[in-house]
């Protein structure tokens, strides 16, 4: 039989052979910090200390590499830990990064408030504008950082085109694929060099674990990221790795339901008299719709919308919803609602990356669509 390669098959089996000792179908949680050596340096399975590697984390990493069509994956304690490690493994002080002018607020904070002190400079650019990206590139540009769809404005960037621009300039392209998940979009197949995830979101899928991942096509780059992670720490613990792997098994079916529900809700919001704009790449009027159709299987479960009446009206919608829980984060089976300007993106207030005050962001869960629509309708009334 040829090697299985269907997405759902890989999500369930990659890295997850039944345990050779007990036959356990599910890989065990190897809750251990260290490993007995049979003589100095004589390791049984290649494991010596769990900051370097742990069998449960290895299983997750093999699965992540398979579902992102990569050669190497590292699993981290959080999405931001993965981002920080990737950037420091690729760049040196004095280097320059082109960053999106619209991205998760914590990512922009990492660039502006942490990595800037380490001697990295960055230029925020609308990544959809190829001329602006080319103009921002300098001789010391090592990396272009991309998020698509973006958090929270749901902007879309053409990954293949951006990879071309990065490579022409001798830089690497890193894509934060958190919003799409590898079921909907595989940036490495489109020419990106590095994919990062907050696995806290769709990959984990149940709002019960914080984690991150970096996946690459090039084995040598993967080993460099792994070495950096080993030297610094920020690894995923065994139980967190196990929970994340458990989540991945249902990623495909969950994403299809997230998309079904989001498509219905986007239509309902488009027709609602109190909603002035709906940001969802699945809508034909979205400026990135055609590119999204080309590079994504479907359009995802995240929607942002602007409410007539300014900030107070947006805050009222967030506090009136019941089934949509008012909370940060996204990508779990339960629906969440939030006000980006005061919550997830508060750290970019007063900068060119500030988000509109009348914006509401929803993470559409996999509950019954009729109940979700009824809840939003009453929250908007
Ligand atoms: N990237 C995106 C798109 C996110 O939405 C988030 C968190 O919300 C992160 C990265 C950071 O991930 P974590 O919270 O797991 O550190």
């Amino acid at each position: 039989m040829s090697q299985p390669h269907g997405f759902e098959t890989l999500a369930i089996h990659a890295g997850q052979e039944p345990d050779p000792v007990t036959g356990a179908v599910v890989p065990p949680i190897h809750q251990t910090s260290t490993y007995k050596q049979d003589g100095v340096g004589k390791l049984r399975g290649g494991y010596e200390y769990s900051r370097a590697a742990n069998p449960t984390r290895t299983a997750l990493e093999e699965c992540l590499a398979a579902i992102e069509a990569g050669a190497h994956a590292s699993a981290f304690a959080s999405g931001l830990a993965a981002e920080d490690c990737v950037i420091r493994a690729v760049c040196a002080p004095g280097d320059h990064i082109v960053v999106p002018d619209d991205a998760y607020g914590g990512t922009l904070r990492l660039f502006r408030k942490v990595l800037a002190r380490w001697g990295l400079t960055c230029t925020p650019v609308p990544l959809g504008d190829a001329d602006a990206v080319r103009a921002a590139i300098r001789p010391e540009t090592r990396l272009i950082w991309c998020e698509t769809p973006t958090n929270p404005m749901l902007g879309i960037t053409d990954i293949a085109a951006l990879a071309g621009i990065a490579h022409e300039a001798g830089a690497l392209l890193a894509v934060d694929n958190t919003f799409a998940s590898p079921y909907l979009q595989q940036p490495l197949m489109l020419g990106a060099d590095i994919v990062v995830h907050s696995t806290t979101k769709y990959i984990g899928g149940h709002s019960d674990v914080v984690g991150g991942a970096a996946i690459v096509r090039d084995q040598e780059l993967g080993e460099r990221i792994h070495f950096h992670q080993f030297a610094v720490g920020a690894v995923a613990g065994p139980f967190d790795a196990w929970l994340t792997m458990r989540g991945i098994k249902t990623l495909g079916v969950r994403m299809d339901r997230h998309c079904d529900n989001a498509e219905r809700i986007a239509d309902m919001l488009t027709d609602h008299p109190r909603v002035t704009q709906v940001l969802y790449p699945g809508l034909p009027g979205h400026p990135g719709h055609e590119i999204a159709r080309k590079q994504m299987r479907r359009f995802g479960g995240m929607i942002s919308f602007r409410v007539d009446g300014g900030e107070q009206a947006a805050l009222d919608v967030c506090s009136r919803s019941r089934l949509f829980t008012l909370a940060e984060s996204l990508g779990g089976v339960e629906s969440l609602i939030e006000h980006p300007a005061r919550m997830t993106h508060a750290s970019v207030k007063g900068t060119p990356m500030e988000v509109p005050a009348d914006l509401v962001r929803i993470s559409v869960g996999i509950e019954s669509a009729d109940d979700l629509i009824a809840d939003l309708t009453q929250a908007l009334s």
Side-chain angles (χ1 to χ4, degrees):
M1 193 178 123
S2 63
Q3 285 296 310
H5 59 269
F7 183 91
E8 290 85 347
T9 311
L10 294 172
I12 292 168
H13 294 288
Q16 302 174 64
E17 285 299 308
D19 185 62
V21 179
T22 63
V25 168
V26 174
I29 304 169
H30 289 276
Q31 195 70 46
T32 186
S33 60
T34 193
Y35 305 81
K36 176 176 163 40
Q37 304 193 8
D38 290 332
V40 175
K42 281 198 191 146
L43 310 181
R44 288 192 186 177
Y47 294 99
E48 60 183 337
Y49 185 58
S50 283
R51 173 160 38 74
N54 169 284
T56 315
R57 195 165 90 234
T58 305
L60 169 62
E61 289 171 340
E62 287 179 9
C63 187
L64 287 166
I67 60 173
E68 273 292 7
H72 190 284
S74 300
F76 289 83
S78 72
L80 280 172
E83 295 184 19
D84 183 56
C85 186
V86 161
I87 294 162
R88 290 184 206 254
V90 169
C91 299
D95 285 346
H96 172 254
I97 310 181
V98 175
V99 302
D101 63 351
D102 166 29
Y104 169 56
T107 300
L108 297 171
R109 181 179 55 210
L110 175 68
F111 288 128
R112 291 188 317 113
K113 302 219 165 143
V114 179
L115 296 169
R117 294 183 58 218
W118 191 59
L120 278 184
T121 49
C122 67
T123 309
V125 170
L127 292 182
D129 179 345
D131 291 339
V133 176
R134 284 202 178 89
I137 289 174
R138 307 180 191 164
E140 62 274 20
T141 304
R142 289 286 154 273
L143 195 60
I144 298 184
W145 192 270
C146 169
E147 204 182 282
T148 182
T150 57
N151 181 3
M153 302 304 285
L154 279 304
I156 299 291
T157 297
D158 185 330
I159 296 172
L162 196 60
I165 297 174
H167 296 158
E168 263 167 37
L172 299 181
L173 175 64
V175 177
D176 183 336
N177 202 25
T178 299
F179 262 38
S181 90
Y183 178 69
L184 299 182
Q185 171 175 279
Q186 291 182 309
L188 299 180
M189 300 285 277
L190 297 163
D193 303 285
I194 303 166
V195 168
V196 298
H197 279 280
S198 169
T199 56
T200 315
K201 312 293 164 23
Y202 288 106
I203 286 186
H206 297 78
S207 306
D208 52 10
V209 59
V210 172
I215 305 112
V216 295
R217 275 190 288 144
D218 178 64
Q219 185 68 24
E220 192 275 324
L221 177 59
E223 282 163 19
R224 206 155 15 116
I225 292 170
H226 179 82
F227 171 78
H228 205 90
Q229 180 190 43
F230 160 67
V232 174
V235 295
F239 185 47
D240 288 356
W242 186 90
L243 276 173
T244 306
M245 241 182 329
R246 177 178 155 127
I248 290 175
K249 290 177 202 286
T250 55
L251 181 60
V253 287
R254 283 188 285 109
M255 287 316 297
D256 272 326
R257 179 60 75 91
H258 284 295
C259 294
D260 290 344
N261 285 356
E263 283 165 19
R264 280 196 55 194
I265 289 172
D267 286 343
M268 167 267 180
L269 289 171
T270 303
D271 293 339
H272 200 286
R274 291 211 48 222
V275 174
T276 54
Q277 192 183 8
V278 182
L279 307 174
Y280 184 62
L283 294 172
H286 185 286
H289 179 66
E290 285 310 318
I291 295 167
R293 272 168 63 98
K294 193 177 67 166
Q295 66 188 19
M296 297 177 75
R297 189 198 294 243
R298 295 182 69 183
F299 305 102
M302 296 302 299
I303 304 175
S304 293
F305 57 96
R306 300 180 74 169
V307 189
D308 184 26
E311 179 168 42
Q312 192 53 52
L315 292 171
D316 288 347
V317 173
C318 292
S319 55
R320 272 197 222 118
S321 66
R322 294 284 165 267
L323 201 46
F324 279 84
T325 303
L326 177 59
E328 300 205 357
S329 202
L330 60 109
V333 291
E334 62 287 295
S335 294
L336 302 179
I337 190 164
E338 69 120 5
H339 184 258
R342 292 232 189 158
M343 295 170 69
T344 49
H345 290 67
S347 65
V348 288
K349 190 173 166 55
T351 75
M353 286 86 104
E354 182 168 333
V355 298
D358 59 0
L359 191 77
V360 173
R361 188 193 78 181
I362 54 176
S363 171
V364 179
I366 63 171
E367 301 96 335
S368 306
D370 289 342
D371 293 332
L372 296 177
I373 287 172
D375 186 40
L376 279 180
T377 305
Q378 69 76 27
L380 278 161
S381 66

